[in-house]
Amino acid sequence: MNDIDQRCDGFLLWIDAKRRDREPILAEISAINTAVHTIMTVTGSNPDALNIVTAAFGLASATYANWNSRLLIAVNQSTIQQVVYDSQGSYRRKIQDWAVPDQPTAIYLLRNYLRLCMPTTIEATINITTTLVSSDAPAAAKKGLVVSNMTPPNATVPKVTRISSTFGPTDATATLLKFLDPNNTGDRDPNRVDVLAPFLTKITDPATGQPLRVPRDLTRFLQTKEFATQRQNVVEQLRAAGKL
């Protein structure tokens, strides 16, 4: 949610910059039109050419004004900020005690929080709030579109079903991990990594067809199911070589 807040602040700053740039750009187009018209008049350009230039600059001004005619550009920046920040605060207060038992629920909550800063939501909130206040319903106007429609998740946390992963230790994995970290310090002994490296270079990566590389592929070799047989073979070779 803090990441969404940061992105939302960036969007609000962009809207403010677009709103501030609107009038200066239109004024600049008008000034250029006046200057070009004056220069062409002094240099003796014919009336048809002057009319074409005037029409071109008029089209440019109208095009830019129409492109920046969204409500978000026209409305005061403080109004937009108050709508967004009030909605975010209400949303956080509403869900602060909700249980989040699974990933779909978390995604549901975050997506609705993200909607608070979408242009369509901001514009709709401003329009609906104005309508409700005009209809003498100020209490309803304080309920944001997204916040008021949020449905709390089931308070009962479902029983977790654990699914076995393709990653996991085996007897060979435990043996190799102990070999690489004999003192259980959490760090692999570089000398023992060097001992293991020649065995890995003889193993082909099924995804690329290239030999495994140390240390890049070491963790994957130790943990993934696809190398279970190779791990057992390496353990047997280490034992045969007197390394274990």
Side-chain angles (χ1 to χ4, degrees):
M1 294 176 75
N2 290 333
D3 178 70
I4 293 174
D5 286 344
Q6 184 176 2
R7 296 171 187 271
C8 182
D9 289 341
F11 173 62
L12 296 181
L13 289 173
W14 177 83
I15 292 176
D16 184 51
K18 294 292 292 181
R19 183 179 60 81
R20 292 175 184 273
D21 291 342
R22 185 173 184 272
E23 294 303 325
I25 290 178
L26 290 175
E28 183 68 15
I29 293 175
S30 177
I32 294 175
N33 178 31
T34 301
V36 171
H37 192 279
T38 302
I39 292 172
M40 292 181 67
T41 301
V42 172
T43 56
S45 299
N46 62 65
D48 291 338
L50 291 174
N51 291 335
I52 291 174
V53 170
T54 301
F57 279 102
L59 177 62
S61 298
T63 301
Y64 184 81
N66 291 334
W67 187 68
N68 288 276
S69 62
R70 282 196 71 148
L71 175 62
L72 287 182
I73 304 297
V75 75
N76 191 281
Q77 182 69 14
S78 60
T79 301
I80 298 176
Q81 289 179 325
Q82 183 172 357
V83 167
V84 173
Y85 295 158
D86 286 351
S87 297
Q88 288 177 336
S90 299
Y91 188 95
R92 285 178 177 262
R93 288 191 296 272
K94 183 171 183 177
I95 70 169
Q96 63 182 353
D97 296 324
W98 286 9
V100 185
D102 48 40
Q103 186 180 26
T105 302
I107 294 175
Y108 170 74
L109 296 177
L110 290 174
R111 288 192 62 177
N112 279 282
Y113 190 67
L114 178 62
R115 288 191 180 106
L116 297 175
C117 202
M118 292 178 61
T120 51
T121 304
I122 299 172
E123 291 178 348
T125 301
I126 293 173
N127 289 330
I128 291 176
T129 300
T130 303
T131 302
L132 290 172
V133 171
S134 299
S135 303
D136 197 22
K142 295 181 180 180
K143 298 179 180 179
L145 289 173
V146 176
V147 179
S148 60
N149 286 284
M150 285 290 297
T151 303
N154 190 346
T156 303
V157 179
K159 181 180 179 181
V160 176
T161 301
R162 300 193 179 276
I163 302 175
S164 59
S165 172
T166 57
F167 296 85
T170 62
D171 292 340
T173 301
T175 301
L176 291 173
L177 290 175
K178 181 64 177 176
F179 171 75
L180 293 171
D181 185 13
N183 299 320
N184 197 28
T185 61
D187 297 321
R188 295 166 182 166
D189 187 332
N191 295 326
R192 297 204 171 192
V193 171
D194 292 339
V195 172
L196 192 61
F199 295 95
L200 267 66
T201 57
K202 299 177 182 179
I203 300 173
T204 301
D205 187 340
T208 63
Q210 300 296 323
L212 296 183
R213 294 171 56 185
V214 178
R216 186 191 67 180
D217 299 318
L218 182 55
T219 299
R220 180 173 164 222
F221 170 76
L222 293 172
Q223 297 293 338
T224 58
K225 185 177 181 180
E226 60 185 327
F227 293 112
T229 301
Q230 290 88 336
R231 283 196 296 273
Q232 187 61 45
N233 293 337
V234 169
V235 169
E236 293 175 357
Q237 293 176 45
L238 288 173
R239 285 173 176 163
K243 304 295 184 180
L244 289 177

